[in-house]
Amino acid sequence: MVRVKPVSREWLERARAHHDQLTKPTGSLGFLEELGVRLAAIGQTLRPRLGPGAVVVCAADHGVVAEGVSAYPAEVTAQMLLNFARGGAAINQIARACGAVVRVLDVGVASAVEAPGVVCRKVRPGSGNIAREPAMTPEEARAALEAGMEAAREAVREGATLLAAGDMGIGNTTAAAALSAALLGLPAEAVTGRGTGVDEAGYARKLGAVRAALARAEARLGGFSRAEPLSILAELGGLEIAAAAGVFLAGAEAGLPLVTDGFPVTAGALVAVRMVPEVRDYLFAGHRSLEPGHAHQLEALGLRPILELDMRLGEGTGAVLSFPVLRAAAEVVSGMATFAEAGVSGREG
């Protein structure tokens, strides 16, 4: 499907050795140094530069909303796509501030959305109710995956050097919880949060829906441990989660630094890594959200979040907000003088 070249261990070592020769005490820039080393290794250059960024906001509806799992009605998904198109959403403001283009991809919104800037690659009008039926067929999951891949490739063709995925879909933290529990071997309560801010009764319904979905899908698949990631995605995921996985697959194939957002998008990243493990080499965690399952996802991926701002909006907001930090990390590697170049005495011993 895609071929992803692993990031060279030799380049990681070379970039780290170069960073240690820059005019600063070793490690004094903390995690920023590790970010810069990884960016240099991904680009195979000691002068990494990050230009324009892009975020693909993947959108779809979810049949599980019928179980009362969200504080907002399903029609909000379509309404928010119009808001994105008009430039009125949080992601539009953050992208403007952080040098990123917003690309909106409809892979499964229940109603028709026609607006400039919204790319329609609708696979079906919303996923099935995962508490009672599969989210989609494997063929539909692959179609949504391929829609995300094409959106990423288009962003690369138009000059993106840094790529993130975002999400919009009422009910998608329920799907992300079920999918993450299945992929990570965790109980429903470990990964199920309050999403849009449901009350106690709503949370009980949401947890019940995740448990029901897991029991149903595990029985259909004969267990999760040996099931193909695409099959698990089709049973429990969402069309926009599949598209986000596609963004990461195609972005890694193109050799770009890739930034995860919150809980649903990182579920897509998990799927991408399960399908092609080398994708992990290109991933950066933009932030850690308040959703309890997000920490488990990042731990499984071995990713440390760049930001922790108690965000839980989605849309790609936390991912894009980290773009300036990544650009700064690249500029440090590219622009700082070494001790020898600056004529500064280095550390002795």
Side-chain angles (χ1 to χ4, degrees):
M1 185 176 67
V2 298
R3 294 183 179 180
V4 178
K5 183 179 179 181
V7 171
S8 164
R9 302 301 105 180
E10 291 181 8
W11 261 102
L12 282 167
E13 293 173 7
R14 182 177 175 184
R16 191 166 288 113
H18 174 74
H19 218 303
D20 288 346
Q21 293 302 311
L22 301 180
T23 47
K24 57 175 178 53
T26 300
S28 59
L29 288 177
F31 186 42
L32 197 71
E33 297 190 14
E34 181 59 26
L35 296 176
V37 165
R38 290 192 58 213
L39 290 168
I42 287 170
Q44 295 195 355
T45 175
L46 298 181
R47 297 289 184 267
R49 291 285 170 84
L50 295 179
V55 56
V56 180
V57 182
C58 308
D61 276 306
H62 293 260
V64 75
V65 170
E67 302 295 321
V69 299
S70 175
Y72 289 85
E75 55 263 29
V76 168
T77 303
Q79 293 165 356
M80 281 302 298
L81 259 64
L82 294 174
N83 196 25
F84 296 146
R86 297 177 187 129
I91 186 56
N92 301 105
Q93 320 321 313
I94 290 173
R96 186 180 304 114
C98 297
V101 173
V102 178
R103 308 176 67 87
V104 183
L105 177 66
D106 174 4
V107 285
V109 179
S111 57
V113 179
E114 296 182 6
V118 176
V119 176
C120 183
R121 289 288 303 276
K122 203 185 301 286
V123 175
R124 56 180 279 178
S127 59
N129 180 350
I130 59 172
R132 303 171 187 272
E133 62 186 336
M136 62 197 104
T137 67
E139 293 74 22
E140 288 166 341
R142 186 167 293 281
L145 196 79
E146 291 174 351
M149 292 171 63
E150 180 52 37
R153 289 168 179 155
E154 181 66 21
V156 174
R157 285 193 292 267
E158 294 189 0
T161 62
L162 183 61
L163 188 62
D167 69 281
M168 182 63 228
I170 297 301
N172 68 4
T173 59
T174 303
L179 182 58
S180 298
L183 290 171
L184 301 179
L186 293 171
E189 56 270 21
V191 293
T192 306
R194 294 184 180 271
T196 52
V198 292
D199 58 17
E200 288 298 328
Y203 179 72
R205 291 192 296 271
K206 183 175 182 179
L207 188 58
V210 173
R211 286 171 173 159
L214 288 168
R216 178 197 58 73
E218 188 168 26
R220 271 179 54 90
L221 295 174
F224 295 128
S225 61
R226 295 185 180 180
E228 293 293 324
L230 188 71
S231 299
I232 299 174
L233 173 65
E235 286 289 332
L236 297 170
L239 293 150
E240 83 280 38
I241 294 174
V247 170
F248 293 126
L249 286 167
E253 185 177 49
L256 264 63
L258 307 171
V259 188
T260 64
D261 190 44
F263 189 42
V265 163
T266 310
L270 275 172
V271 171
V273 170
R274 290 296 176 90
M275 294 180 74
V276 182
E278 292 82 3
V279 170
R280 163 62 183 80
D281 289 356
Y282 297 85
L283 292 177
F284 296 82
H287 77 122
R288 175 159 42 209
S289 85
L290 285 178
E291 281 292 303
H294 197 209
H296 290 291
Q297 293 172 332
L298 295 180
E299 181 181 6
L301 290 168
L303 296 176
R304 175 178 172 180
I306 295 170
L307 302 173
E308 297 215 37
L309 297 173
D310 296 342
M311 296 171 68
R312 54 181 180 86
L313 176 60
E315 303 178 7
T317 49
V320 174
L321 200 57
S322 74
F323 281 12
V325 179
L326 288 165
R327 289 196 181 98
E331 290 295 331
V332 165
V333 180
S334 298
M336 279 187 73
T338 64
F339 284 102
E341 291 168 342
V344 175
S345 299
R347 181 176 177 178
E348 297 180 359

